[in-house]
Amino acid sequence: VVASAPTASAAPGADRCTCPGGKRIDRLAKQADAVFTARVVTSSSRTHGEGKKAKQVRLYTAEVDRVFQGKVTRARVLIRSAQSTACGFGNIPTDQTWLFFVTGGGARFIGNVCGGAGRATDAKMAKVEAELGQGTTMQPTQPPREPLAFTDEHPPAVTPLSRLIAPGAAVTLIGLLGLVLFRRRA
């Protein structure tokens, strides 16, 4: 994704993030490529880049509930944020629905706290619905099926043809001997 989240800055070692502008829904929506509610399923930390440009990022996999703005093509999306607790989303609980104002599209997005993301409270949702409408409900992602895989088990040995024919040949031979024996008696 070649996009950047709304500008955020934190002084080294600072616990607060400085966000230009305000937290008005109309401004946040204009800055964002997509606005949606989602429930975080997993989160992990990674190093993005190399050398002096390396920075810690946090990746969230989230199940999208409703889309208010933008092109969200899948119900399960990946959201990247700064790892720092000052400007990044931090540790989002998995049992809560969050409202995301993010940049990007499809199924990959970038965001930070200055973009307006936060817990989807009733008051915040009322403001978003008043500004952006009711939104579109996303269909939930089906749980992944077990992938097909080869196992190390060897198939059973093939039974030789002679073993398959032997019982039939024995029955035929007994039948012929019985026929010969009864014919002589008559």
Side-chain angles (χ1 to χ4, degrees), residues 1 3 8 10 20 30 43 51 80 103 113 131 142 149 153 168 171 185:
V1 174
K30 283 180 185 176
S43 69
R80 188 175 82 194
T103 58
V113 293
E131 187 68 34
Q142 296 296 324
E153 296 177 16
V171 170
R185 283 187 135 183

Side-chain angles (χ1 to χ4, degrees), residues 64 67 70-77 105-109 138-139:
V64 177
V67 178
K71 293 185 180 180
V72 181
T73 58
R74 296 195 177 173
R76 184 166 276 197
V77 297
R108 296 180 180 269
F109 299 94
M138 289 291 285
Q139 296 299 320

Side-chain angles (χ1 to χ4, degrees), residues 66-90:
R66 277 196 296 170
V67 178
F68 296 96
Q69 171 181 305
K71 293 185 180 180
V72 181
T73 58
R74 296 195 177 173
R76 184 166 276 197
V77 297
L78 181 66
I79 303 167
R80 188 175 82 194
S81 180
Q83 174 65 27
S84 72
T85 56
C87 292
F89 294 142

Side-chain angles (χ1 to χ4, degrees), residues 82-128:
Q83 174 65 27
S84 72
T85 56
C87 292
F89 294 142
N91 189 14
I92 298 175
T94 57
D95 60 342
Q96 293 179 356
T97 300
W98 270 51
L99 176 64
F100 290 96
F101 290 81
V102 291
T103 58
R108 296 180 180 269
F109 299 94
I110 299 172
N112 60 41
V113 293
C114 290
R119 193 160 165 243
T121 63
D122 291 338
K124 192 180 278 188
M125 292 307 298
K127 289 178 184 177
V128 169

